[in-house]
Amino acid sequence: MENELTHEKRVLQGNEAIVEGALAAGCRFYAGYPITPASEIAELMSIKLPAIGGTFIQMEDEIASMGAIIGASLAGVKSLTATSGPGFSLMQENLGFACIAEVPCVLVNVMRGGPSTGLPTSPAQGDVMQARWGTHGDHPIIVLAASSVKDCFEITVQAFNLSEKYRIPVIVLSDEVVAHTRETIVLPKLEKIEVVERIRPSVPPEWYIPYEDNSRGVPAMANMGSGYRHHVTGLVHDPKGFPTQRPDEVDAFIRRQYRKITNGFYEIQMSKTLMMEDAEIAVIAYGSVSRSALHAIKSARSNGIKAGLLQLITLFPFHKKAVDAVLRQCRSVLVPEMNMGQLVREVKRVNLSSKVFKYNRVDGQFITPDEIYDQLLRM
Amino acid sequence: MQKTSANALIPTSHLLGSGTATCSGCGALADIRLFYEILGEKTIFVNAAGCMTLLTVYPFTPFRGSWIYTAMASAPAGAQGVRDALDLLLAKGRLGKEEDLQVVVLTGDGSAYGMGLSSTSGAMERGLDFIYICYDNEGYGNTGHQFSAATPHGASTATSRGMTGFPGYKKDLFSIWAAHNPTYLATVSGADPLDMVRKIKKAKDLRGPRMFIALAPCPTGWHFDASQTVKIGKLAVQTGIWPLKEYVNGKVEHTRIVTKKRPVDEYLKMQGRFSHLFEPRRNEKVLDEIQTRVNDYWKNVEEGE
């Protein structure tokens, strides 16, 4: 559907860019619950979605919001919800359901200081591990981190595409700084944006096996109500979608879910490197902190320090390959985070013998370029 | 001893500290002031996230007693724990009878009408001895006034900005709560302090779930001048939009019956959230519907009594 607003130069805040990205990616259903600093996403969706024939619905809480987007996605409509810390916690059970039932959907978490009500609304990156492991049980999941308004747009599009392609919920982590910063952004023309749709069954309904394995490990997904029998359950299920406790089926089921993501590492794991060619020290950062890091390494370069940046866009599945390359090349690495050190552990795990420093702020304040530069001088 | 005014009902003392962080003209604060004045210092407030969470900003609190903040969905559950612990201490003699506290849940309509309803239902089902104050400002005031289940039909909010405003209807929380058969249940308005004080005093001496829904005109979310809060509160009653009633022993009684009701227009016109129903032209359909629903409500009341 043509959206006349999406090919021009505009000044948007991160939250607004997420809305533009979602609409460009084909999102036509939004369910959410008000929470700062994510409310603007709902407010803008409440205006934009009905205007293009989509549905905006405000639910009674975040449990319901997540439930609604799962339902909408099963019925065949790309769907989004957005929240912040406390709401993200409430969404976890249904998020697990979306994982086990392999329901494509996108969840934006605009991080603020926590736990509980925490710091409404100061920036933080404390939900990184919750995004990976917040819901119980073994499950693969895709977590992306946006660092700018442009990122918000592009990563939201990517999130929908990956979600559709791999039948998996995708979490977009933003934070209060990214959400409320206004920047100029040139929105690409709709026809220039690659939009991926889930693979729907090509066999007649009577031949359809909803969770049948294939080479990609991603079963074809029929829209509910399209004539294909569709039994969706939160119980571990066999290829036909019915509950099973047979060890061989259970094992195959869990392993297929991991396999489908491992098969897609080449495109799921996204990162950017800057000035890494001859770098001797490096910063590994994500989200808004990577912007400070970029400034810091530029300052370092102008003072003769050979510093480089690895910005992780995909946090999970963790981009070991990119991190390993940096760890091998550099004598030491800094991981600045607005938490007590969550992703730094993943970095350290890649190569336990490498020198990895951490720099953390948990006071609700943004990490500035100067702070990172000071740390670089000590490395 | 509490000072009382000439009519011997409305307290003139000021137990609640001044200078809170609420918006000027906050109707909820006026409600809470009266509640606090009558319930007194020996209270413990259990709050769910909302505007009134901002009453306390370090290092200041307007309350002389304790305050617990819970998750949005679970204030009555928090109250259950507090009440049970107090009872335990009382039974063991570790807390004197005179040291006992009144447990008061304080939430906005977002929690009361929506995500906290299950927890409230559970507390009433267990016959928890507590007071519940819902300050109803008809939207999520604290996050920028998005609509809630308490938002009236036609109102414009941050997530219902269309030509006809909020398409839904205000949830009948009174009836939902009444169906639980609590010890006491009433609607109140800070703009009618006499009625309010009488009800609070009545509830104070009872035991079990005592529930209040207090109208809280909100200048920030409803878009009117902060000086008009009381006037709007009065008009809500005079137009019949906010019925003052109570539920005791299985019976609903209206405590203020306005014989000559003013047209709802008078109430709606004063608030920016309804301005799209008047400008650029009157939306007769929606306005008629609002008036008809009010008329029907009172017709039912008259026939029932």
Side-chain angles (χ1 to χ4, degrees), chain A residues 85-128:
Chain A
F88 192 46
S89 292
L90 285 177
M91 288 178 179
Q92 293 301 335
E93 190 185 0
N94 266 335
L95 180 61
F97 173 68
C99 288
I100 199 167
E102 296 171 76
V103 183
C105 54
V106 177
L107 194 170
V108 176
N109 174 14
V110 184
M111 292 184 283
R112 69 188 206 191
S116 185
T117 309
L119 293 168
T121 51
S122 302
Q125 296 180 318
D127 305 351
V128 170

Side-chain angles (χ1 to χ4, degrees), chain A residues 214-230:
Chain A
N214 53 34
S215 58
R216 288 176 56 231
V218 186
M221 188 173 175
N223 293 354
M224 277 187 162
S226 60
Y228 290 82
R229 183 155 81 156
H230 214 321

Side-chain angles (χ1 to χ4, degrees), chain A residues 33-34 43 47 58 60 117, chain B residues 69 72 115 140 146-147 159:
Chain A
Y33 189 75
E43 290 175 10
I47 296 167
Q58 187 179 301
E60 68 273 22
T117 309
Chain B
Y69 168 84
M72 185 112 175
M115 76 192 292
Y140 290 96
Q146 295 83 8
F147 69 79
T159 43

